[in-house]
Amino acid sequence: MLIQFLTAAGVLAVLTMVPGPDMAVVTKRAVASGRQDGLRTVGGITAGLLVWGVLSVAGLAAVLAASATAYTVVRLAGAGYLVLLGVQALLQSRRGRSQAAAVPTPPRGNPWRTGLVSNVLNPKIAVFYTGLLPALAPAGLPAHTGMALLVLVHTVLTGLWLGGYVLLLSRARAFFERPAVRRGMDRVTGAVLIGFGLKVATAQP
């Protein structure tokens, strides 16, 4: 059972490190507002994973993953939210170019809520938790217990990975505070968020 658990943790670690919408959202917040807002965004994302974990263990996420209509509604809502965040970043880069101050206005909205909403509106997490976690769960544990354990492992790994990423960005804060660099980062993260939004909008269960 221990070997199965370590194997599952390794798979989750690799999947956690793959860049996705969560990392783009964290990058936008951390670069624009600093370490504290970046870490709060990570906290919201991990809370979103716990929400999906509870729903998965309860069996509700499986309903979403199996229902084309429910999946489409959440998928389009999530895609729209990512596109909105991307457009806001692009608009921020345009405002930054016209402002003389080196530090532009921080993004609006609570960073924790931003992380939570972006994760909860990602239906791929439902598919991931209901499709992959049961296969990775240690055979020696009850199904619900094994899935709950792996959800906690995935949440911790995500928090550590994205938290470490925020701390790395904060060490280079002086570089990212340069107006030209900040505008460039806003444009890149804006384009990436819009790209992820379009990808989510066209994804299939």
Side-chain angles (χ1 to χ4, degrees):
M1 185 172 68
L2 177 60
I3 295 178
Q4 286 181 310
F5 173 75
L6 293 177
T7 300
V11 172
L12 292 174
V14 172
L15 293 175
T16 298
M17 291 185 288
V18 176
D22 287 344
M23 182 169 283
V25 171
V26 168
T27 300
K28 177 178 179 292
R29 273 289 178 174
V31 170
S33 303
R35 180 175 61 185
Q36 294 302 319
D37 269 13
L39 291 176
R40 291 189 186 102
T41 305
V42 174
I45 289 171
T46 56
L49 291 178
L50 290 177
V51 169
W52 279 119
V54 170
L55 294 176
S56 298
V57 173
L60 298 178
V63 175
L64 172 62
S67 170
T69 301
Y71 181 89
T72 299
V73 170
V74 176
R75 172 170 55 83
L76 293 180
Y81 188 68
L82 290 175
V83 170
L84 174 62
L85 293 177
V87 170
Q88 288 177 343
L90 293 179
L91 292 176
Q92 180 65 45
S93 73
R94 291 174 63 88
R95 286 195 296 268
R97 181 175 56 185
S98 62
Q99 292 172 347
V103 181
T105 304
R108 296 179 179 178
N110 183 286
W112 188 90
R113 185 171 59 247
T114 297
L116 174 68
V117 173
S118 67
N119 194 273
V120 168
L121 290 181
N122 184 0
K124 284 295 185 182
I125 302 297
V127 177
F128 170 60
Y129 276 7
T130 59
L132 181 60
L133 289 193
L136 294 176
L141 295 174
H144 284 43
T145 303
M147 284 186 61
L149 179 61
L150 292 185
V151 167
L152 290 177
V153 170
H154 185 228
T155 301
V156 171
L157 289 174
T158 299
L160 292 174
W161 173 251
L162 292 179
Y165 176 64
V166 169
L167 295 179
L168 181 63
L169 288 178
S170 68
R171 293 180 66 87
R173 184 80 186 276
F175 172 76
F176 288 114
E177 283 181 343
R178 297 176 184 176
V181 174
R182 188 181 287 272
R183 288 196 300 269
M185 286 296 296
D186 281 338
R187 291 168 185 166
V188 171
T189 55
V192 169
L193 285 167
I194 292 173
F196 277 127
L198 296 176
K199 182 177 180 180
V200 170
T202 58
Q204 297 299 319

